[in-house]
Amino acid sequence: DILPSSRRVRVEIDGVTVADSINGSFLHETGLPTRYYLPKSDVRMDLLTLIVLLPLAGFFLNGLLGPRLGKGFVNVVGCGLPILAFFATLRAFTQLQAGEADAALAETAYTWATVGDFSFEIAFWFDRLSALMTLIVTGVGSLIHIYSTGYMKDDPSYARYFAYLNL
């Protein structure tokens, strides 16, 4: 269980404290592997969710408004939002680098249900491996979007192409 309270994070397993943290620094550790949870006040809790939602917003904007607002709008939305997702990934990566060697960022986007002490959540886990993959996907994906503006310039379904590319 993770029991956050303001700037303190305590990790307990079956009533035994595995790790206790104030301001992101662990005070007590056992032999069990621990993860680094940044306190809510030190990190934008919507950052990991933003990485996912920016390209999804591009899909909806280009799919619904792109054909009516033209190529300029499609270019800004189609290329701009994946680039913003890349910068959000860079920011999350720098926050991850500030942690310990086995650090990870955890963010709950939505709590679907709570039953007793157990909750079903839609959450994101951002460790070093997922950071590397997210940097590659958003970085290369942004370059593909930029290249596609010239490659698809005469296509009659320009907005639809960028809508699907944002997915």
Side-chain angles (χ1 to χ4, degrees):
D1 292 335
I2 300 166
L3 308 170
S5 63
S6 69
R7 298 179 59 80
R8 184 179 189 118
V9 176
R10 192 172 75 232
V11 179
E12 291 184 357
I13 298 176
D14 295 328
V16 177
T17 300
V18 175
D20 199 358
S21 167
I22 295 178
N23 297 330
S25 301
F26 282 104
L27 304 174
H28 168 74
E29 293 185 60
T30 64
L32 297 173
T34 58
R35 296 292 183 194
Y36 184 80
Y37 294 87
L38 294 176
K40 287 185 178 183
S41 61
D42 291 348
V43 73
R44 288 184 186 267
M45 293 309 290
D46 60 345
L47 188 60
L48 300 180
T49 306
L50 194 64
I51 294 169
V52 175
L53 291 182
L54 283 170
L56 186 62
F59 165 72
F60 285 115
L61 289 171
N62 277 336
L64 297 173
L65 302 175
R68 284 177 266 179
L69 297 178
K71 287 187 180 180
F73 174 80
V74 172
N75 287 340
V76 169
V77 170
C79 294
L81 294 181
I83 291 170
L84 287 176
F86 176 70
F87 285 125
T89 303
L90 281 175
R91 175 145 170 96
F93 181 71
T94 58
Q95 290 175 355
L96 186 63
Q97 292 296 92
E100 296 174 2
D102 64 345
L105 300 177
E107 178 181 308
T108 301
Y110 180 74
T111 301
W112 180 62
T114 303
V115 179
D117 293 335
F118 192 73
S119 63
F120 299 94
E121 300 171 338
I122 296 172
F124 297 103
W125 184 261
F126 195 76
D127 59 3
R128 296 197 189 288
L129 179 60
S130 59
L132 177 65
M133 291 305 299
T134 308
L135 282 169
I136 291 170
V137 168
T138 58
V140 173
S142 296
L143 294 175
I144 292 169
H145 280 74
I146 293 167
Y147 175 77
S148 293
T149 58
Y151 182 75
M152 298 295 291
K153 67 180 176 188
D154 295 325
D155 192 272
S157 300
Y158 192 77
R160 184 177 61 191
Y161 171 79
F162 272 94
Y164 288 138
L165 191 60
N166 275 179
L167 283 178

